Amino acid sequence: MTSARTPPITPHNPADEWTDILKATLLRVPALPEDLFKRLHRAKLTFGDRVHCPFLRPFFLSPEDEERVRTVAETIADLGERVATAALKDKHLFAQFHLRPEEEQLVRLPTPYGRASTASRLDAFLLPDSLKFAEYNGESPAGAGYAETLAEIFRELPMMGKFAQSYTVHSYPLSAKLLDALVMSYVDWGGSDSPPRIAIVDWQDVPTWSEFEILQARFEKMGVPTVIADPRELVFDGQKLVANDKKIDLVYRRVLINDIVAKPAECAALVKAYTANAVCVANSFRCKIPHVKAFFAVLTDEQNGALFSHDERELIRRHIPWTRVVADIKTWHNDQPVELLAFIGKERENLVLKPSDEYGGSGVTLGWETDEATWDTAIGRALSAKNGAWIVQERIPIRREVFPYIASAGKVDYRDMLVDFAPYLFRGKLCGYLTRLSATGLANVTSGGGQVPAFRVSPRTA
């Protein structure tokens, strides 16, 4: 990923205006950083022992930015649905995703409603003159509850009142949109209970458990009974799925398919209820197909061009980085034939290696931050992997901005941060964003990054 700076200061630069207001506010309210941390703890915006947001500025995007993100992101989500459907009918296409036999067994279980991914998220880098997507998280991605709550806290900060005198500020009701999407999938599935009882299902020890509590409170406030359950607490009697002694109509599945495969006994009730079509499960197990990072290899490989229209192929070319599954094969790069392994070895400075089916930055090797020996070792590891494929992906431009950072003892300094901008898509429609910051090439909470809210802003007219 190459670095690109944000545009120069203009008469309407919301980031600079916010920062000016912040500096004046800190002189009047020196306890502001400490107060923000207290609010974050009270709101359960923590990941382990760390708060999600040690920053004092949101990320701002314009209506024009949002529209170009919407067009591309929704198209990619639609392609994910189309490719998942096609892969289940085409053995050659299915093989390109490199799913394990246990995963294939799950994704081929029939489900009577259409969408593979009720909730999904794309990881992107939004620049003034380009928009590139690095990954598609098609499997019930985390963070929507956190992002919405964080935006609400920032709307209450003392800087917002003065800032809103100059800008119209729009935030995103993610929990309501997510709930709507879940209920729509339940209705598509054939469910008739109104409202359905939802179970948010994941392991009790996951660090995102606090987000489930946020979503539970918000869903119930909107009139939908919701329980949180560990997969081991589910009971299936052959007709109904029960959690906490309550019949469940709709499972908001946050437990990953990787874990379901790794712990079949603990997840048996969920899988049996899904197999019997006794409960609606969103996302369905079919979401695994577009979720793996090999999905971008499918999109960018010329052999699959007939799956897409001319306009879709052009969109893929402009917004999806060239990606291949690592193997000893001949392929194409920029209309030129290449021996893939020789190409990977030669083009280290322009490539990244990563497992097709990991998260949180696990296993990612950035060629431009790696010496030749380490790169060769990573290639060997990718080729010899026994448990899933690896991909190689072309380096893409990244966005960096300076953000005010709360350092030790509440001191505020200013740090140059990578901005990972990740649109949420609920039933394929753009509904909001997860925005993560990092000083390194990996922008995610599990690798030590931070989070800020995203607001769409436009200058107020006189």
Side-chain angles (χ1 to χ4, degrees):
M1 289 178 281
T2 57
S3 180
R5 300 296 307 173
T6 48
I9 295 175
T10 66
H12 289 294
N13 189 317
D16 291 325
E17 187 154 345
W18 175 279
T19 299
D20 289 343
I21 297 169
L22 170 64
K23 289 177 178 178
T25 304
L26 286 170
L27 294 175
R28 298 193 325 270
V29 191
L32 176 61
E34 182 182 352
D35 291 343
L36 175 61
F37 274 27
K38 288 179 180 178
R39 292 189 194 191
L40 295 174
H41 279 286
R42 285 197 300 268
K44 301 180 180 178
L45 291 179
T46 56
F47 198 91
D49 295 330
R50 292 182 291 109
V51 297
H52 282 219
C53 180
F55 302 95
L56 273 168
R57 174 169 76 74
F59 176 77
F60 300 115
L61 72 157
S62 69
E64 294 77 17
D65 285 335
E66 180 162 272
E67 194 52 40
R68 64 187 170 113
V69 170
R70 182 189 310 280
T71 299
V72 181
E74 291 183 356
T75 300
I76 296 171
D78 286 346
L79 294 181
E81 297 295 323
R82 186 195 309 166
V83 168
T85 300
L88 291 172
K89 301 174 183 177
D90 183 332
K91 289 184 179 180
H92 174 69
L93 179 59
F94 189 93
Q96 294 179 50
F97 291 90
H98 295 268
L99 301 188
R100 292 173 288 168
E102 305 93 328
E103 295 168 337
E104 179 174 356
Q105 183 178 359
L106 290 175
V107 303
R108 290 193 180 277
L109 290 172
T111 180
Y113 75 100
R115 295 202 68 89
S117 296
T118 294
S120 61
R121 192 184 71 215
L122 277 154
D123 289 352
F125 291 95
L126 173 65
L127 279 72
D129 57 355
S130 70
L131 171 64
K132 290 286 188 179
F133 292 93
E135 298 178 0
Y136 183 54
N137 185 336
E139 190 176 3
S140 298
Y146 291 143
E148 182 178 38
T149 305
L150 188 57
E152 292 169 352
I153 289 173
F154 266 68
R155 276 193 168 276
E156 296 173 354
L157 292 179
M159 294 79 75
M160 184 60 78
K162 185 170 180 58
F163 181 80
Q165 294 175 11
S166 301
Y167 293 89
T168 300
V169 181
H170 175 81
S171 51
Y172 302 89
L174 281 163
S175 59
K177 296 289 188 180
L178 173 59
L179 181 59
D180 285 346
L182 290 168
V183 172
M184 288 174 69
S185 287
Y186 172 72
V187 172
D188 283 354
W189 172 79
S192 57
D193 285 359
S194 183
R197 176 175 284 111
I198 294 177
I200 304 172
V201 176
D202 205 350
W203 309 108
Q204 286 182 340
D205 59 354
V206 295
T208 51
W209 189 269
S210 58
E211 188 200 4
F212 307 153
E213 295 171 331
I214 291 170
L215 292 173
Q216 178 190 38
R218 290 172 183 262
F219 289 177
E220 292 195 329
K221 188 175 181 179
M222 289 181 277
V224 177
T226 304
V227 300
I228 309 172
D230 186 289
R232 293 164 290 195
E233 297 174 329
L234 302 178
V235 177
F236 180 59
D237 64 5
Q239 293 185 319
K240 61 183 181 297
L241 185 70
V242 173
N244 300 341
D245 298 321
K246 297 180 174 65
K247 176 181 174 293
I248 301 303
D249 304 303
L250 169 59
V251 171
Y252 174 33
R253 182 179 62 79
R254 293 289 293 269
V255 60
L256 298 175
I257 290 174
N258 282 359
D259 289 339
I260 294 173
V261 168
K263 301 178 180 180
E266 291 91 332
C267 299
L270 175 61
V271 173
K272 288 178 180 178
Y274 183 101
T275 304
N277 197 33
V279 67
C280 177
V281 177
N283 291 351
S284 78
F285 294 152
R286 285 184 293 116
C287 75
K288 186 70 172 184
I289 299 173
H291 171 75
V292 294
K293 296 174 181 64
F295 171 50
F296 278 13
V298 170
L299 291 183
T300 60
D301 195 328
E302 291 83 353
Q303 67 174 313
N304 302 313
L307 290 169
F308 315 116
S309 69
H310 171 79
D311 288 347
E312 289 166 345
R313 290 195 297 272
E314 179 62 17
L315 180 143
I316 290 167
R317 185 191 66 78
R318 292 182 59 197
H319 302 291
I320 303 295
W322 176 90
T323 307
R324 291 293 186 272
V325 172
V326 178
D328 187 3
I329 60 170
K330 294 181 180 179
T331 188
W332 292 81
H333 177 264
N334 290 342
D335 298 324
Q336 297 296 318
V338 296
E339 295 280 352
L340 183 59
L341 294 184
F343 179 81
I344 296 173
K346 176 184 174 184
E347 296 293 329
R348 170 174 57 86
E349 290 284 343
N350 298 310
L351 299 172
V352 56
L353 286 167
K354 48 189 170 182
S356 179
D357 192 22
E358 287 289 352
Y359 61 94
S362 176
V364 175
T365 302
L366 307 176
W368 56 96
E369 294 185 1
T370 304
D371 61 36
E372 187 173 343
T374 305
W375 184 247
D376 289 343
T377 299
I379 296 172
R381 184 168 65 246
L383 283 169
S384 61
K386 297 290 193 295
N387 193 21
W390 283 57
I391 65 160
V392 59
Q393 190 172 80
E394 201 158 43
R395 184 178 186 176
I396 61 177
I398 62 171
R399 180 175 186 143
R400 301 192 74 94
E401 291 187 16
V402 174
F403 281 80
Y405 177 83
I406 302 173
S408 58
K411 178 184 176 182
V412 176
D413 59 26
Y414 292 82
R415 299 190 178 182
D416 187 64
M417 307 298 294
L418 177 149
V419 182
D420 183 310
F421 179 71
Y424 284 105
L425 297 127
F426 300 150
R427 288 178 62 91
K429 300 300 181 184
L430 176 68
C431 291
Y433 310 96
L434 172 70
T435 309
R436 294 168 294 187
L437 308 180
S438 175
T440 68
L442 296 178
N444 50 65
V445 173
T446 54
S447 67
Q451 179 182 349
V452 293
F455 295 114
R456 186 186 73 222
V457 298
S458 54
R460 292 187 182 275
T461 56

